[in-house]
Amino acid sequence: MSLVDQQTAAPVHTMRALTLVADRKIELLDVPAPLPPAAGEVQIGIKAIGLNHIDVWGWRGMAFAKRKLPLIVGAEAAGEIRAIGPGVSGFRVGDPVVAYGGLTCGTCKACREGRDNLCENVAGIMGFHVDGFARDLLNMPARLVIPMPAGISFRDAACAPVAFSTVQHMLFDNAKLEPGETILVQAGGSGIGTAAIKMAKAIGCTVIATVGDDEKAAKAKALGADHVINYRTDRFEGVVRKLTGKKGVDVVFEHVGPDTFNGSLLCLKRGGRLVTCGSTSGQSTTINLFQLYLQQYRIFGSFGASIRNIRESLDKMAAGLLPVIDTEVPLADFERGLARLESRQVFGKIIVLF
Ligand SMILES: [Zn+2]
């Protein structure tokens, strides 16, 4: 498709882009296609994106993180190399890839040490501060592009940059989850909750998961969760104490926030670790500091992941640990995907195929 440039009357090539045009209002628009990739860049043809709550809501409670609209959404995606800029080696046209959506500097101490999500000069997060991946084509710095191992679908790989790598970073870099430990996974039916259940089971942990209805309880069991608690009908703190013989769990995987946070702390054994990457039920809570130090809890805030975590996630997928996909929709039908994302029934990830 092409439009006409008003000044030169030359045709402008356009492409499709899922664009946030107002708060919670996403439209499929025609926008100018990118120029050929510059030095150090590759051009990626997007094949699949993973929808996340930040596509619609931003991060709830983060009023300081203002977004400039219109904004192309999409925080995670998979695609293939379409063109290669000058000075780039290691890629061929047609290679399947995913990309890191944090526009890091690549030169600060954190970047040099591979702690990309602690970059001191990050220029924005794609799909949140700056245009994201939900478009036919985009140019990316080649250093942020990661090849997909053979045998993974674009649909599954699209879950690696955010959903899978966030969980990988939480469980293994921060909470240092070990085989044989017991973990409580809050909201086990979410995109990251399902990934946490599968990753913890894969190393031989005992997994207790919470979910909001009985249908999800059956699905979480089918993923391998040893015990599933319907938090609407049972007090999860009491059930966890009972299941662990009053000892508590080694690790809690949190992302719900005030509704569950203190209950999650009560579920920990002495010296236990709580790791959190979200707070969907609100911004603040109070905690009992006596309990915190007397029980020697360790609490980790976790945000995003490193490029290494994306590689680790892709390797897990190649070895058969695949994301749980709730729904996949073609781009023209993206509204169905968004509606599904907002529904209480969603179990796993929503994928939009380009
Ligand atoms: Zn940096």
Side-chain angles (χ1 to χ4, degrees):
M1 175 144 196
S2 62
L3 301 173
V4 172
D5 186 305
Q6 297 299 317
Q7 256 88 53
T8 63
V12 177
H13 292 291
T14 64
M15 63 176 179
R16 303 168 300 169
L18 270 187
T19 309
L20 187 69
V21 294
D23 215 23
R24 301 190 57 209
K25 190 162 190 276
I26 294 180
E27 292 179 354
L28 185 57
L29 300 181
D30 281 318
V31 301
L35 297 168
E41 289 184 340
V42 292
Q43 188 166 90
I44 302 173
I46 295 298
K47 295 287 200 178
I49 64 158
L51 283 181
N52 288 286
H53 278 283
I54 66 165
D55 295 323
V56 188
W57 289 98
W59 289 298
R60 280 176 230 191
M62 288 181 67
F64 59 88
K66 287 276 181 256
R67 311 214 267 183
K68 191 167 62 69
L69 303 182
L71 181 88
I72 299 172
V73 302
E76 59 182 342
E80 61 185 20
I81 299 286
R82 291 285 170 77
I84 297 169
V88 174
S89 59
F91 290 102
R92 279 180 303 188
V93 170
D95 281 352
V97 294
V98 301
Y100 188 76
L103 298 178
T104 57
C105 72
T107 56
C108 73
K109 185 165 185 288
C111 280
R112 290 197 314 273
E113 292 173 353
R115 297 180 300 135
D116 309 281
N117 50 336
L118 289 168
C119 172
E120 294 159 25
N121 312 301
V122 64
I125 293 173
M126 292 176 63
F128 187 70
H129 307 104
V130 295
D131 284 337
F133 292 99
R135 45 181 150 165
D136 285 312
L137 290 171
L138 79 165
N139 295 339
M140 286 288 297
R143 68 183 170 82
L144 300 178
V145 177
I146 303 122
M148 283 166 52
I152 309 177
S153 67
F154 288 116
R155 177 192 82 170
D156 291 340
C159 304
V162 175
F164 253 48
S165 65
T166 294
V167 177
Q168 174 75 20
H169 186 56
M170 289 171 77
L171 294 185
F172 302 109
D173 294 346
N174 284 323
K176 299 205 171 4
L177 184 68
E178 296 279 349
E181 289 192 311
T182 300
I183 179 171
L184 171 67
V185 177
Q186 294 284 19
S190 60
I192 57 171
T194 51
I197 292 172
K198 294 187 79 167
M199 285 190 196
K201 280 313 295 180
I203 64 160
C205 291
T206 299
V207 176
I208 305 171
T210 66
V211 294
D213 65 55
D214 290 340
E215 195 182 325
K216 285 186 191 172
K219 290 179 178 174
K221 277 246 165 162
L223 290 186
D226 299 277
H227 309 280
V228 183
I229 303 166
N230 182 338
Y231 60 79
R232 292 186 200 283
T233 55
D234 286 301
R235 272 189 77 242
F236 70 85
E237 305 93 311
V239 180
V240 169
R241 302 305 291 182
K242 211 171 286 174
L243 287 171
T244 57
K246 295 190 180 162
K247 272 172 57 189
V249 299
D250 298 286
V251 171
V252 177
F253 179 92
E254 247 295 338
H255 51 116
V256 177
D259 285 359
T260 54
F261 198 87
N262 276 290
S264 290
L265 286 177
L266 283 173
C267 291
L268 285 175
K269 66 166 59 160
R270 288 181 73 214
R273 296 96 77 196
L274 180 148
V275 62
T276 181
C277 73
S279 193
T280 46
S281 65
Q283 196 171 7
S284 309
T285 190
T286 53
I287 65 171
N288 181 329
L289 297 176
F290 285 6
Q291 182 196 8
L292 173 66
Y293 68 76
L294 288 172
Q295 297 298 319
Q296 302 176 58
Y297 294 151
R298 280 161 287 171
I299 299 176
F300 299 89
S302 198
F303 182 71
S306 66
I307 292 174
R308 169 179 53 81
N309 293 136
I310 297 179
R311 289 203 180 90
E312 290 164 344
S313 298
L314 290 167
D315 288 345
K316 286 188 175 183
M317 290 180 188
L321 201 169
L322 297 177
V324 176
I325 307 296
D326 178 276
T327 307
E328 51 186 307
V329 296
L331 183 58
D333 217 4
F334 72 94
E335 280 172 329
R336 190 157 63 84
L338 287 173
R340 182 76 189 163
L341 183 68
E342 300 233 44
S343 80
R344 287 259 173 215
Q345 283 78 43
V346 63
F347 190 88
K349 291 289 292 180
I350 312 280
I351 303 295
V352 178
L353 297 171
F354 274 65

